[in-house]
Amino acid sequence: MSTALNAGHSEFVNDLLDTETGRRKPTGIPHAVLFIVPIIWALFQIWITSPLPYYFGVGVFNDTASRSLHLAFGVFLAYLGFPMLKRSPRDRIPIYDWALALAAAGCAAYLFIFQAGLAERSGRPEPQDIAVAVTGIILLLEATRRVMGLPMACVAIAFIIYVFGGPYAPGLIAHGGASISRAASQFWLTQEGVFGVPIGVSVTFVFMYVLFGAMLEKAGAGNYLTTLSFALLGHFRGGPAKAAVVASGMHGLISGSSIANVLTCGPVTIMLMKKVGFSAEKAGAVEVAAGSNGQIMPPVMGAAAFLMVEYISMPYSELIVHAFVPALLTYASLLYIVHLEACKMGMQGMPRASCRPQQRLLGWGLTISAMLILIGAIYFISSFVPLLFGDKSWIVFLLLLFLGYLALVALSIRYPELPEGDSEKLLKLPAVTPILFSGLHYLLPIAVLVWCLMFFEMSPGLAAFYACLCMSVILLTQRPVVALLRRQPLRPAFSNGLGRLIGSMGAGSRNMIGIALATGSAGIIVGAVSLTGIGQALGMVVETISMGSLPLMLVLTALFCLILGMGLPTTANYIIVSTLMAPVIYNMTAAQGLAVSLLAVHLFCLYFGVMADATPPVALAAFAASGISGGDPLKTGLQGFFYELRTAILPFVFVYNPELILLNIESNFQLAWVLFTAVLACMSFACATQRFMFTHARWWEIVILAGAVIFLFRPDIAHDRVFPPYKTLPSDQVEEVVEKLEDNGMLRLFISTDYGDRVKDQVVVMSVQGKTVEDKLASVGLILGWEGETLMIENILVNSRVEKLGVNMDDPTKILGIEIPAERPAKWLFNLPGIFLLGLVVLVQLRRKRREDKHLGHKWPSRHFIEE
């Protein structure tokens, strides 16, 4: 049975790998097509992302054309690379798949070929337009089924049925329905459906980042990051598990797929974790938790980050700054969980390479000094070169970058080549310095990407283009330079570099097939929401179920994400949930007077979309990890979900406490304090869930730790109860307060609406603009007037902010007062009880640990590294 189970796991892992690249392996002309077309797709994407079309004035594609051709490449490769059924041939492409591939590509390219005519008859499609749209949607859904599985296609089909079956739906979600002509225009012939924002993000941003990750992997950067992680952390307790966490975090910098992360790092990390004493299930679960969180690690964050940029209209460089702290906290807390697991099982680290402590200390000193000198030199050069060379400074930058690259490659050949993907070669840890300097040149493209994003403030797509350009130079020249310095033949080295470059383009394109189809199918859902108005109906359903409670709304959203994640990739999951739920939560909380950040709501949806990859019973990442470890996939998924609980609490925290995502930070002290307390909170939560700190925790210690977590993460609970955040002024001071509000200032009106059978009091929060009181009120759609001594809402403008918050003129509404911020002590003071509680548990644990050690007669557990 064990053999059969392992064989089943291996087959599943092979299926996952095939999903990334295509399941067919034909020969002859079909093989050449599957080799050439992805390269052409990559070259097309590089061209439209680069500034070259605008520089030469040739080959400029508008949004409609680029999205149309992007999907045409995706569906063409989907039908050729992925068979219809499990019994369909893998070694050849049947004639019907050739026909379907050409038909699907033609339907997708229809918007590019006939864009002029479609623009002229916008909203009035001809019969051939409708026929192409219907055929295209059917073929897109079939391609999605082949590549992404049945659930994604079923969700899209359900929304299509809802569009046409609206008159027959239950009363709360019923709508007037749509004709085939209207639906065809919405879904296929305009940018409101398949060719809308999701696939636009795939075209503009995602492809280049996936290509960049494929190039780094082909060059050897993935292996370098994994080996460096082991060299840095392998000697600690549970070292391989800690190295797996750091390696997955580093891979998260360049990969947006949890499954790819697990399958890239897992063959080495999981085997080494098992060698030091982790069970197969726990070893797989650590890799699942670490690999899944790679999707929330900036700067790539999968495709969802780029979609979020479009949805909340925030610069990408700003978004990744806000997302960095919670991502870092998830990995820091997972490291601590691994440490606690190692302590509970009495593990020790892997044996070091033979090296005296003085040599290690000297090596670390030289390494840190060299890195500081390098960072200082980069900062100095970037500051003074523009001053000296002006418009020509980019030439100097390129020259210095190339010279620095040559110097780092020359430095790398002084050290032995890294072992590739073999855990047996890592039984003894290498010294850190040789590993570090053997691949520093791999970090140059990542530095170029971050530099272009953060300092030059380029668009994400253009920054990725320059990073890919840098990576292409490395792929082409790395081995020839090494061969030249080692006086080896140059031709094989050039051939190897060219082959790796071409291979990375093909791999990047094949990895994009699923994303292109997922964003295209998600566009159907987005179009259906826009066409039917189900978002508003869903808001009423959520409000009814949750009874207006924000915590319950968030729980419902989290469950919605986890359920959808059972069959959908994270990107599609995020698109659906953010489309349906994010506006509902944001508007309903605003209507209740709660100032919840839209960024926090969208990050909430993303985090629980990521959680779905580690949530049984589906848990694709857990299946991939168990296929490597040989453990039970369900137990691996359950253990991975248990480890992921520390990720699950963060979204609930930063919705209420936006300082955690660096919003409302007013000073460096506040920033440092937020980071300090967040780390303490994560460590406390890890100890509580693992029931271990320095020794096994008792139930009352776990309760105290839970209280510490609340005070550290949510000081606002006690802060707001002791010192209310707002005070209410009487209604006769409304005009006086509104007059003092600046542009984009927040107006908080305390209103009471008489519904006849009941009275509802609420606070509505709006951002006002204008100079006079009348202008500011009009900017949110309010016209006020006095009835005797009562201030009433006389009128509400159509489609205004007030109307969207649920206030209307059907029922009389009076102004009870206006809320203004109250003066109160700093919120951080209410973190202190949490620090006290944590310190109390630490003292109790240390005291009990000393007693236990004295009783046992030894200080540290004795389990050592296990060698086979």
Side-chain angles (χ1 to χ4, degrees):
M1 180 176 289
S2 173
T3 304
L5 185 61
N6 288 334
H9 287 170
S10 299
E11 181 180 352
F12 186 82
V13 172
N14 290 333
D15 284 345
L16 290 173
L17 287 168
D18 289 341
T19 300
E20 299 288 332
T21 58
R23 294 193 178 95
R24 280 198 176 114
K25 309 294 180 185
T27 58
I29 293 178
H31 173 77
V33 172
L34 285 175
F35 175 76
I36 294 172
V37 173
I39 296 172
I40 296 174
W41 189 9
L43 292 173
F44 167 73
Q45 292 289 157
I46 292 171
W47 175 261
I48 64 175
T49 309
S50 74
L52 298 178
Y54 304 97
Y55 182 79
F56 293 108
V58 177
V60 178
F61 294 86
N62 59 27
D63 287 345
T64 299
S66 59
R67 296 174 186 183
S68 171
L69 293 175
H70 178 83
L71 186 60
F73 277 112
V75 292
F76 182 78
L77 291 172
Y79 278 104
L80 296 187
F82 294 81
M84 178 183 294
L85 303 170
K86 288 187 176 181
R87 61 176 180 270
S88 299
R90 261 61 170 173
D91 58 346
R92 61 184 178 85
I93 302 175
I95 189 66
Y96 61 80
D97 274 346
W98 283 103
L100 291 173
L102 292 172
C107 290
Y110 185 80
L111 274 74
F112 165 67
I113 299 171
F114 300 101
Q115 58 181 319
L118 290 172
E120 290 178 359
R121 55 181 182 270
S122 177
R124 296 175 286 102
E126 296 180 351
Q128 70 175 30
D129 301 332
I130 298 174
V132 168
V134 172
T135 305
I137 291 171
I138 293 172
L139 293 176
L140 172 62
L141 293 174
E142 166 59 13
T144 302
R145 182 198 65 81
R146 293 189 182 196
V147 178
M148 306 304 298
L150 192 59
M152 180 71 201
C154 287
V155 172
I157 291 171
F159 274 87
I160 293 174
I161 293 173
Y162 176 66
V163 167
F164 293 107
Y168 310 102
L172 196 59
I173 61 172
H175 64 93
S179 64
I180 293 181
S181 174
R182 178 72 181 92
S185 295
Q186 182 80 6
F187 289 142
W188 198 264
L189 303 177
T190 66
Q191 292 187 6
E192 300 294 327
V194 171
F195 300 100
V197 171
I199 203 168
V201 171
S202 178
V203 174
T204 311
F205 305 137
V206 179
F207 192 103
M208 295 304 296
Y209 283 85
V210 172
L211 179 61
F212 178 60
M215 287 181 168
L216 279 167
E217 195 62 42
K218 286 289 183 181
N223 183 50
Y224 168 70
L225 294 175
T226 302
T227 310
L228 179 61
S229 301
F230 276 100
L232 288 169
L233 299 170
H235 62 283
F236 291 108
R237 287 173 176 268
K242 294 176 180 175
V245 173
V246 174
S248 293
M250 290 182 175
H251 276 273
L253 296 173
I254 60 177
S255 170
S257 168
S258 57
I259 295 172
N261 208 334
V262 169
L263 295 177
T264 300
C265 301
V268 175
T269 60
I270 291 176
M271 294 300 105
L272 287 172
M273 280 189 271
K274 291 175 68 177
K275 287 180 183 294
V276 297
F278 278 90
S279 66
E281 286 77 17
K282 285 193 174 182
V286 169
E287 186 58 53
V288 167
S292 297
N293 289 151
Q295 295 181 88
I296 59 176
M297 174 59 74
V300 177
M301 297 174 65
F306 307 108
L307 289 160
M308 203 179 300
V309 166
E310 297 294 320
Y311 288 159
I312 65 178
S313 301
M314 175 180 285
Y316 183 72
S317 57
E318 186 178 338
L319 172 63
I320 60 177
V321 170
H322 291 301
F324 182 71
V325 170
L328 195 63
L329 288 174
T330 61
Y331 277 104
S333 54
L334 183 57
L335 274 174
Y336 191 56
I337 287 173
V338 166
H339 175 74
L340 295 176
E341 288 278 21
C343 290
K344 284 194 290 185
M345 291 186 282
M347 296 179 182
Q348 289 188 353
M350 297 174 66
R352 294 176 184 267
S354 56
C355 181
R356 290 180 297 178
Q358 296 86 346
Q359 291 177 321
R360 290 200 297 268
L361 184 61
L362 179 61
W364 271 103
L366 292 174
T367 300
I368 294 173
S369 300
M371 295 298 292
L372 290 175
I373 292 172
L374 180 61
I375 294 171
I378 292 173
Y379 179 78
F380 178 82
I381 291 170
S382 62
S383 300
F384 286 94
V385 166
L387 297 176
L388 295 175
F389 296 96
D391 294 340
K392 304 296 182 182
S393 58
W394 64 273
I395 300 175
V396 180
F397 278 127
L398 287 180
L399 180 61
L400 291 174
L401 183 65
F402 187 69
L403 291 175
Y405 160 66
L406 293 178
L408 291 176
V409 173
L411 178 65
S412 70
I413 67 170
R414 299 175 57 186
Y415 303 97
E417 292 186 8
L418 300 178
E420 293 197 18
D422 188 355
S423 62
E424 297 300 324
K425 296 179 182 179
L426 292 173
L427 289 178
K428 289 188 177 180
L429 292 177
V432 174
T433 303
I435 298 298
L436 176 66
F437 287 120
S438 67
L440 274 178
H441 55 285
Y442 294 130
L443 303 182
L444 284 176
I446 299 176
V448 168
L449 174 65
V450 175
W451 199 263
C452 290
L453 283 173
M454 304 302 296
F455 293 94
F456 291 152
E457 296 185 351
M458 295 181 182
S459 69
L462 189 58
F465 165 75
Y466 285 118
C468 287
L469 188 63
C470 180
M471 200 63 241
S472 300
V473 173
I474 291 176
L475 281 167
L476 284 173
T477 62
Q478 173 185 343
R479 281 161 182 77
V481 171
V482 170
L484 186 64
L485 294 174
R486 290 179 174 170
R487 298 182 180 179
Q488 296 173 345
L490 289 178
R491 174 174 286 184
F494 272 116
S495 298
N496 184 286
L498 182 61
R500 285 176 181 259
L501 176 60
I502 294 174
S504 67
M505 289 184 178
S509 297
R510 287 190 292 271
N511 291 342
M512 272 300 301
I513 296 173
I515 297 176
L517 297 180
T519 52
S521 296
I524 293 176
I525 298 165
V526 174
V529 171
S530 174
L531 186 61
T532 61
I534 190 178
Q536 296 179 354
L538 187 63
M540 297 174 63
V541 173
V542 171
E543 185 177 16
T544 302
I545 296 175
S546 66
M547 296 173 289
S549 168
L550 178 58
L552 191 52
M553 276 192 285
L554 294 177
V555 170
L556 289 172
T557 303
L559 291 175
F560 193 28
C561 289
L562 293 178
I563 292 170
L564 283 174
M566 291 181 183
L568 302 185
T570 302
T571 303
N573 190 340
Y574 167 73
I575 292 171
I576 296 171
V577 178
S578 62
T579 301
L580 294 176
M581 300 296 291
V584 174
I585 295 174
Y586 182 72
N587 290 329
M588 288 180 62
T589 53
Q592 296 174 22
L594 300 174
V596 175
S597 164
L598 185 59
L599 170 62
V601 175
H602 278 266
L603 283 174
F604 185 96
C605 297
L606 172 62
Y607 269 55
F608 278 97
V610 169
M611 281 281 295
D613 278 347
T615 304
V618 179
L620 295 181
F623 275 94
S626 63
I628 298 170
S629 69
D632 181 86
L634 182 59
K635 291 181 180 178
T636 301
L638 289 172
Q639 186 67 53
F641 179 77
F642 186 65
Y643 289 153
E644 281 285 71
L645 288 178
R646 96 271 179 219
T647 303
I649 66 166
L650 286 176
F652 286 98
V653 171
F654 56 60
V655 166
Y656 290 98
N657 187 13
E659 287 91 347
L660 197 62
I661 51 176
L662 304 186
L663 294 175
N664 304 331
I665 299 292
E666 298 176 356
S667 65
N668 292 332
F669 170 78
Q670 185 184 6
L671 174 61
W673 184 259
V674 166
L675 296 177
F676 172 67
T677 54
V679 170
L680 289 183
C682 286
M683 302 304 108
S684 302
F685 185 79
C687 291
T689 54
Q690 293 298 311
R691 294 175 294 173
F692 192 94
M693 184 180 283
F694 300 106
T695 184
H696 289 278
R698 295 171 179 171
W699 69 266
W700 57 268
E701 292 174 333
I702 295 173
V703 173
I704 294 176
L705 285 172
V709 171
I710 294 173
F711 276 108
L712 291 168
F713 263 147
R714 292 287 314 279
D716 55 292
I717 294 177
H719 190 220
D720 291 347
R721 287 186 178 275
V722 177
F723 301 99
Y726 299 98
K727 64 179 181 180
T728 305
L729 299 180
S731 57
D732 59 5
Q733 297 186 34
V734 168
E735 293 186 355
E736 179 182 344
V737 174
V738 171
E739 187 176 12
K740 294 179 181 179
L741 289 177
E742 300 178 353
D743 265 358
N744 298 316
M746 300 306 297
L747 172 64
R748 302 179 60 88
L749 287 179
F750 184 26
I751 67 173
S752 179
T753 305
D754 185 359
Y755 291 100
D757 56 340
R758 63 188 177 95
V759 175
K760 178 181 178 183
D761 294 345
Q762 65 182 115
V763 177
V764 291
V765 185
M766 301 153 287
S767 175
V768 299
Q769 292 179 332
K771 295 182 179 180
T772 66
V773 173
E774 291 75 12
D775 290 342
K776 292 174 181 178
L777 293 175
S779 69
V780 296
L782 273 176
I783 299 176
L784 305 181
W786 288 91
E787 291 186 7
E789 296 182 356
T790 304
L791 184 61
M792 304 290 293
I793 296 180
E794 286 191 343
N795 197 9
I796 293 176
L797 302 181
V798 179
N799 294 325
S800 63
R801 178 63 178 157
V802 180
E803 186 180 57
K804 292 177 181 178
L805 292 176
V807 183
N808 56 66
M809 290 303 300
D810 295 338
D811 304 288
T813 302
K814 60 183 177 181
I815 310 296
L816 299 180
I818 185 167
E819 291 189 345
I820 62 172
E823 293 184 5
R824 53 186 188 155
K827 184 170 65 174
W828 64 268
L829 292 172
F830 288 82
N831 289 131
L832 298 180
I835 296 175
F836 172 78
L837 292 174
L838 176 59
L840 179 64
V841 176
V842 169
L843 291 175
V844 172
Q845 284 261 314
L846 284 174
R847 185 177 179 182
R848 190 161 71 250
K849 175 65 175 173
R850 282 194 294 268
R851 288 202 307 266
E852 291 173 356
D853 288 342
K854 185 177 180 180
H855 176 72
L856 294 173
H858 60 78
K859 190 172 183 179
W860 300 106
S862 58
R863 185 180 295 182
H864 293 277
F865 178 72
I866 303 169
E867 291 192 24
E868 293 180 355

